[in-house]
Amino acid sequence: MGILKPITEWATSPWGQKVPIHIAWFLIWVAALAGLLFLIVHAIYIRYFAKAEEFADSVSPTPVVVLPKRIPRHSLAARVFHWIMAASMFTLLFTAFLPKTGLQFDWITYHWIAGSILTLSILFHIIHASFWLDFWAIWPDKADLVDAWKRVRRFMGRPAQPPRRFAKYPLENKLYHGAIIMTGLTAIATGVFMMSRVRTLFFPRNPYLFTDMTWGLLYVLHGLAGVGLIALVMVHIYFAVRPEKLDITKSMIFGSMRREFYLSHYDPQRWPLEIQRPESTRADREA
Ligand code: HEM
């Protein structure tokens, strides 16, 4: 319990036991500042120090002419999921933390409703990604690790070949997705239990499900995942609005990206396309 002391608030239970009740709310500012610091340091690095991107010329011999002008990236179902998840995530963050920073309103109802929508949308996403999407596309593979090592060496000025072009998701995105899985699932798993402390549509209220100590630890875990998500969401939005990433962001709205962007950043062998549509290709060439 020692490490929890400085980052949690404690109370005395009716039985005289000291129990944690939730995280200490100053962690909201710690997370927001950590997110802000990351983006400032990253923006300065990219503006003043980073060298131009360089890739090993491992591009497959796929002739440009067989590719359509717009490369499909996210299906309609994947985009609808993404934006429902984003809306529920924002609602959860604002309803959770605004009251703690002084803006009082009846937040719990909005919060558990948004939490239920997030939970259902994540269930949908897991099933959709397992059976309809390429499940392994978002997990680091051997090529990512080999290339990461080359990139670290080059960053430190040591000799190394340039890395290959990316698969559909670069290693950074895969690691980010992993961090979101851990924080998101923790918030969801604890939040589902916490719903039995408040009146919801789903099950009768039962605050005696766990001991005070277990409830306290659940609240602390929920809060830690929550503040972690403040920093993660800030970083995500920062990358989404960076000029060199706008093609990717737009593809989450419109579903596809420019052929030139695809060819300059991605390796068609690592992100193979399912499109071989001669009619649209001809139309594109004539356009
Ligand atoms: C972005 C994700 C989330 C964040 C940032 C977040 C944050 C928070 C915070 C800070 C609290 C106050 C806890 C306290 O007073 O110690 C809270 C309470 C609560 N959360 Fe979440 N939460 C998230 C996701 C969820 C989800 C997915 C659910 C449901 C499935 C949920 C259900 C609840 C409930 C029912 C409470 C009220 C508990 C009570 O007051 O007794 N939360 N949340």
Side-chain angles (χ1 to χ4, degrees):
M1 289 293 153
I3 46 162
L4 284 186
K5 269 239 150 66
I7 55 164
T8 46
E9 277 179 26
W10 295 70
T12 309
S13 78
W15 292 273
Q17 188 193 14
K18 279 233 162 272
V19 286
I21 46 171
H22 48 66
I23 57 165
W25 300 122
F26 77 86
L27 291 182
I28 297 173
W29 302 111
V30 173
L33 282 176
L36 197 63
L37 194 69
F38 174 90
L39 28 129
I40 292 173
V41 171
H42 184 272
I44 292 176
Y45 172 73
I46 295 289
R47 177 86 175 78
Y48 296 106
F49 302 101
K51 300 196 193 93
E53 266 183 334
E54 200 188 332
F55 295 107
D57 249 338
S58 67
V59 184
S60 84
T62 313
V64 174
V65 284
V66 303
L67 295 177
K69 249 174 127 175
R70 307 273 326 163
I71 305 293
R73 183 167 165 94
H74 300 297
S75 67
L76 182 63
R79 282 177 280 149
V80 170
F81 157 73
H82 178 268
W83 293 113
I84 290 179
M85 188 197 55
S88 54
M89 180 64 83
F90 271 121
T91 310
L92 284 161
L93 288 172
F94 286 123
T95 52
F97 296 124
L98 285 182
K100 313 298 183 282
T101 57
L103 190 75
Q104 295 306 328
F105 62 99
D106 179 18
W107 61 277
I108 291 194
T109 311
Y110 304 110
H111 191 79
W112 72 254
I113 293 174
S116 310
I117 295 174
L118 179 75
T119 307
L120 290 177
S121 70
I122 298 288
L123 280 177
F124 163 80
H125 176 63
I126 294 172
I127 296 170
H128 183 226
S130 305
F131 298 106
W132 279 272
L133 304 179
D134 175 8
F135 182 81
W136 296 110
I138 200 68
W139 303 98
D141 59 17
K142 201 170 150 222
D144 288 322
L145 301 182
V146 172
D147 281 345
W149 180 238
K150 289 182 186 157
R151 286 160 72 192
V152 169
R153 282 185 66 90
R154 289 165 67 83
F155 175 77
M156 297 192 311
R158 313 280 278 280
Q161 294 289 314
R164 269 158 294 187
R165 274 164 228 273
F166 298 121
K168 186 173 180 186
Y169 299 106
L171 180 64
E172 293 83 329
N173 297 44
K174 295 176 177 180
L175 295 178
Y176 180 86
H177 185 257
I180 282 283
I181 290 180
M182 286 195 297
T183 44
L185 289 189
T186 304
I188 287 175
T190 49
V192 167
F193 285 114
M194 285 158 74
M195 290 217 278
S196 69
R197 296 275 296 235
V198 295
R199 235 167 271 285
T200 63
L201 292 177
F202 303 111
F203 24 78
R205 191 169 168 272
N206 178 11
Y208 307 106
L209 195 59
F210 299 116
T211 62
D212 289 332
M213 178 58 91
T214 310
W215 273 124
L217 292 175
L218 277 183
Y219 275 67
V220 169
L221 260 184
H222 193 76
L224 287 177
V227 290
L229 282 160
I230 296 179
L232 286 172
V233 168
M234 284 173 74
V235 169
H236 184 71
I237 296 170
Y238 161 75
F239 280 115
V241 298
R242 279 204 62 89
E244 73 277 11
K245 309 277 184 212
L246 282 182
D247 278 78
I248 304 173
T249 309
K250 283 190 206 152
S251 78
M252 193 43 96
I253 300 170
F254 302 111
S256 61
M257 60 180 21
R258 289 179 303 119
R259 174 174 60 201
E260 296 68 31
F261 189 84
Y262 169 75
L263 285 169
S264 57
H265 289 79
Y266 302 95
D267 181 339
Q269 279 167 353
R270 298 184 69 199
W271 176 16
L273 302 174
E274 283 164 25
I275 34 165
Q276 292 298 336
R277 290 174 304 164
E279 312 82 64
S280 64
T281 312
R282 208 173 309 125
D284 285 332
R285 249 179 293 150
E286 284 159 12

